[in-house]
């Protein structure tokens, strides 16, 4: 009913202009709902799961592509492809592409056909997916924000874009040490289907203003952030039982262990408590998801701080009464 203009006229009786605007918003809302609810072909993973990439349909021509990171001399070629692919008020500048190649080179990948660059994907890391943060790169950012997925016009509709994005996502997932929580991007309405088929989920119309058209935010989770069906939250609290110099080497092992657990699909986060002045000393705190107390305890016993008898610790289940937890 929301896509039928005459029906909308019964719902909203304002001016013609306002009704037209309402029609557009309603149509876009329906499109979002459709993308959020399609699951019959396995295109969308539930938001509590790590997204497992499902390749889009690709032609055999895609096998002819090779990939590499760009060097300084390649950026002018990338810029030519960029400005031919976006309106002038949306295309990245030569300076922006140069910055991304210099500062975020692990996340800049070119596709080549017969040793010639025909397209690229580039991104930067950030802790906040917002307009101000998209012009800089934070090497420790928990979000990987994709800025461009572009191909030469003569090489479009051949399966190259799907192949290029698949290769990029595969590379990021393989190299991720658990510190990248999600891959995020902006897309216009007509490209939502492409990204959904490539493992992304539409989250909302974006408040980010980029050019004149409405953009939508999409996300592909890299680590779990909430409970799976049948799981509960568990909390481990701890205090050092040895002098800090004796514990310090195992603290580094602990951090690496948590990162590896997150990378392998566990929903877990770890940190320490501080006082009102931000000084540590309140002890460590860890939240993790598990189906039973015994399962949670078996995980805790593998923690280097516990296995090397560095801490006195207590494990408790945590039952939500008001609200819930989503970790980062």
């Amino acid at each position: 009913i929301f896509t039928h203009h005459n029906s909308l006229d019964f719902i909203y009786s304002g001016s013609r202009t306002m009704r037209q605007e309402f029609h557009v918003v309603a149509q876009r809302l329906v499109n979002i709902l459709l993308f959020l609810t399609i699951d019959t072909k396995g295109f969308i993973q539930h938001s509590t799961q790590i997204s497992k990439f499902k390749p889009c349909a690709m032609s055999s021509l895609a096998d002819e592509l090779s990939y590499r990171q760009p060097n300084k001399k390649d950026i002018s070629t990338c810029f030519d492809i960029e400005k031919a692919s976006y309106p002038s008020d949306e295309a990245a500048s030569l300076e922006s592409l140069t910055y991304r190649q210099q500062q975020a080179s692990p996340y800049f990948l070119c596709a080549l056909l017969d040793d010639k660059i025909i397209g690229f994907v580039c991104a930067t890391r950030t802790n906040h997916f917002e307009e101000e943060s998209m012009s800089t790169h934070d090497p420790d950012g928990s979000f990987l924000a994709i800025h461009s997925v572009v191909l030469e016009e003569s090489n479009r509709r051949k399966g190259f874009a799907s192949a290029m994005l698949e290769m990029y996502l595969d590379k990021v997932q393989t190299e991720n040490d658990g510190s990248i929580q999600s891959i995020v991007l902006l897309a216009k309405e007509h490209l939502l289907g492409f990204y959904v088929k490539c493992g992304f989920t539409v989250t909302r119309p974006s408040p980010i203003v980029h050019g004149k058209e409405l953009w939508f935010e999409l996300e592909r989770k890299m680590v779990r952030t909430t409970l799976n069906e049948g799981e509960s939250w568990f909390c481990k609290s701890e205090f050092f039982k040895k002098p800090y110099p004796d514990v310090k080497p195992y603290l580094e092992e602990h951090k690496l262990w948590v990162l590896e657990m997150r990378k392998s699909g566990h929903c877990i986060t770890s940190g320490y408590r501080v006082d009102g002045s931000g000084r540590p000393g309140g002890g460590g705190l860890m939240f993790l998801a598990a189906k039973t107390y015994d399962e949670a305890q078996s995980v805790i016993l593998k923690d280097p701080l516990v296995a090397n008898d560095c801490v006195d610790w207590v494990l408790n289940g945590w039952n939500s009464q008001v609200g819930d937890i989503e970790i980062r």
Side-chain angles (χ1 to χ4, degrees):
I1 187 170
F2 281 100
T3 61
H4 195 288
H5 289 199
N6 292 332
S7 299
L8 284 168
D9 289 341
F10 288 107
I11 298 171
Y12 188 78
S13 59
S15 69
R16 181 178 181 83
T17 299
M18 294 178 73
R19 286 202 304 274
Q20 290 173 339
E21 291 175 353
F22 188 78
H23 296 162
V24 172
V25 172
Q27 178 66 66
R28 285 173 172 165
L29 176 60
V30 169
N31 289 342
I32 294 172
L33 291 174
L34 286 173
F35 282 119
L36 291 175
T37 55
I38 293 171
D39 61 5
T40 56
K41 295 184 179 179
F43 287 159
I44 298 181
Q45 302 294 321
H46 190 276
S47 61
T48 61
Q49 305 289 334
I50 300 175
S51 296
K52 298 297 183 182
F53 180 75
K54 294 182 177 293
C56 311
M58 292 179 288
S59 70
S60 58
L61 288 173
D63 295 336
E64 300 176 16
L65 295 179
S66 60
Y67 303 90
R68 65 170 172 81
Q69 293 177 358
N71 56 48
K72 187 176 180 180
K73 295 180 180 178
D74 294 326
I75 297 304
S76 60
T77 301
C78 293
F79 178 59
D80 289 340
I81 298 173
E82 172 85 8
K83 67 182 181 182
S85 302
Y86 295 105
S88 59
D89 57 348
E90 296 174 5
S93 66
L94 180 61
E95 291 74 17
S96 293
L97 292 177
T98 300
Y99 173 84
R100 294 167 191 168
Q101 185 269 329
Q102 292 176 346
Q103 302 299 321
S105 58
Y107 310 108
F108 204 137
L109 186 70
C110 292
L112 291 84
L113 183 63
D114 298 327
D115 295 324
K116 174 180 176 291
I117 294 176
I118 65 165
F120 67 91
V121 182
C122 68
T124 54
R125 291 179 64 168
T126 180
N127 279 312
H128 305 283
F129 188 38
E130 53 192 27
E131 192 166 4
E132 292 76 14
S133 62
M134 291 182 68
S135 59
T136 57
H137 173 63
D138 178 354
D140 299 317
S142 58
F143 295 105
L144 181 66
I146 293 180
H147 301 290
S148 299
V149 181
V150 293
L151 280 171
E152 287 182 337
E153 186 173 2
S154 60
N155 283 298
R156 295 172 191 168
R157 293 180 173 81
K158 297 179 180 179
F160 291 159
S162 300
M164 180 175 67
L165 186 55
E166 178 189 1
M167 175 61 71
Y168 186 87
L169 296 173
D170 244 5
K171 180 177 181 293
V172 171
Q173 183 137 6
T174 300
E175 296 177 358
N176 184 28
D177 61 4
S179 61
I180 298 177
Q181 173 187 321
S182 294
I183 302 176
V184 293
L185 58 82
L186 298 176
K188 294 180 182 178
E189 187 175 348
H190 70 283
L191 287 173
L192 295 182
F194 168 76
Y195 288 112
V196 167
K197 290 178 182 178
C198 292
F200 287 84
T201 298
V202 182
T203 57
R204 62 173 182 169
S206 179
I208 296 175
V209 177
H210 188 54
K212 298 178 181 179
E213 296 187 50
L214 175 66
W215 294 77
F216 294 86
E217 293 182 8
L218 296 96
E219 180 178 26
R220 181 175 182 268
K221 290 186 181 296
M222 299 291 285
V223 297
R224 285 181 53 202
T225 61
T226 56
L227 299 174
N228 280 342
E229 185 177 354
E231 289 184 332
S232 300
W233 288 115
F234 292 87
C235 177
K236 180 196 76 168
S237 54
E238 64 189 18
F239 289 94
F240 291 166
K241 59 189 296 185
K242 293 180 178 180
Y244 178 73
D246 295 338
V247 173
K248 186 177 180 181
Y250 300 109
L251 273 176
E252 296 306 313
E253 287 187 30
H254 165 80
K255 293 175 185 177
L256 293 174
W257 173 75
V258 173
L259 285 171
E260 189 58 37
M261 292 289 287
R262 287 164 63 90
K263 184 178 180 180
S264 64
H266 288 268
C267 188
I268 185 170
T269 188
S270 179
Y272 57 90
R273 290 168 286 181
V274 297
D275 62 18
S277 299
R279 294 172 297 193
L285 195 65
M286 173 185 288
F287 276 91
L288 70 153
K291 291 186 176 180
T292 65
Y293 183 93
D294 288 343
E295 181 182 305
Q297 183 173 255
S298 69
V299 173
I300 296 300
L301 291 174
K302 298 173 184 176
D303 181 343
L305 289 175
V306 174
N308 291 282
D309 199 30
C310 296
V311 294
D312 287 319
W313 59 278
V314 176
L315 177 66
N316 297 104
W318 186 84
N319 294 326
S320 169
Q321 294 296 302
V322 179
D324 206 343
I325 293 174
E326 182 172 2
I327 69 172
R328 291 185 58 184

